[in-house]
Amino acid sequence: VRRLVESGGGSVQAGGSLRLSCAASGYTGWRNCMGWFRQTPGQEREGVAVIDRSSGSTYYADSVKGRFTISQDNAKTKVYLQMNSLKPEDTSMYYCAARPGVCRGSLGSAADFGSWGQGTQVTVSS
């Protein structure tokens, strides 16, 4: 059974940092694209960062480039999102996502991803 479980969300002041983790079970050895999306009430779910688990290639939304870093552990069982220089507009529910195949050179859209975690809330205060 494939499963994604996020952790690491919380509240932080603007300029602070948080690190999100996504534990992926059932995906070991599976060629896939994994990443992070976020969604605020009334808004569409938007891509933040994705990583191609085979090649390690990464892709970011323009709004987070230079501040967020996506990575994976050597065992390829966890995907991380290091978020630095957080802004109030980063406040959102963050979701881990996965889909088979390579990331195709871009973030893609939420519709491209079939597996989702339950989400973890990130709140940035000014």
Side-chain angles (χ1 to χ4, degrees), residues 8 10-19 66-68 81-88 90-91 94 122-126:
S11 297
V12 66
Q13 289 191 327
S17 298
L18 284 173
R19 189 192 195 204
R67 300 188 298 122
F68 291 11
L81 185 67
Q82 178 66 43
M83 305 185 293
N84 298 329
S85 302
L86 282 161
K87 304 176 181 180
D90 294 317
T91 295
Y94 284 71
V122 171
T123 301
V124 184
S125 58
S126 57

Side-chain angles (χ1 to χ4, degrees), residues 17-102:
S17 298
L18 284 173
R19 189 192 195 204
L20 305 184
S21 296
C22 175
S25 58
Y27 292 87
T28 303
W30 194 43
R31 189 182 185 196
N32 57 73
C33 177
M34 290 187 63
W36 294 91
F37 285 72
R38 64 188 181 187
Q39 187 173 27
T40 55
Q43 302 294 319
E44 290 187 359
R45 194 167 292 190
E46 64 172 354
V48 176
V50 298
I51 184 167
D52 188 303
R53 297 220 296 164
S54 296
S55 69
S57 297
T58 58
Y59 307 92
Y60 296 91
D62 288 342
S63 60
V64 306
K65 283 180 181 177
R67 300 188 298 122
F68 291 11
T69 303
I70 189 170
S71 62
Q72 61 181 346
D73 67 339
N74 289 335
K76 297 184 179 179
T77 59
K78 288 189 176 181
V79 173
Y80 305 100
L81 185 67
Q82 178 66 43
M83 305 185 293
N84 298 329
S85 302
L86 282 161
K87 304 176 181 180
E89 51 263 44
D90 294 317
T91 295
S92 191
M93 184 72 80
Y94 284 71
Y95 297 91
C96 181
R99 63 166 177 80
V102 299

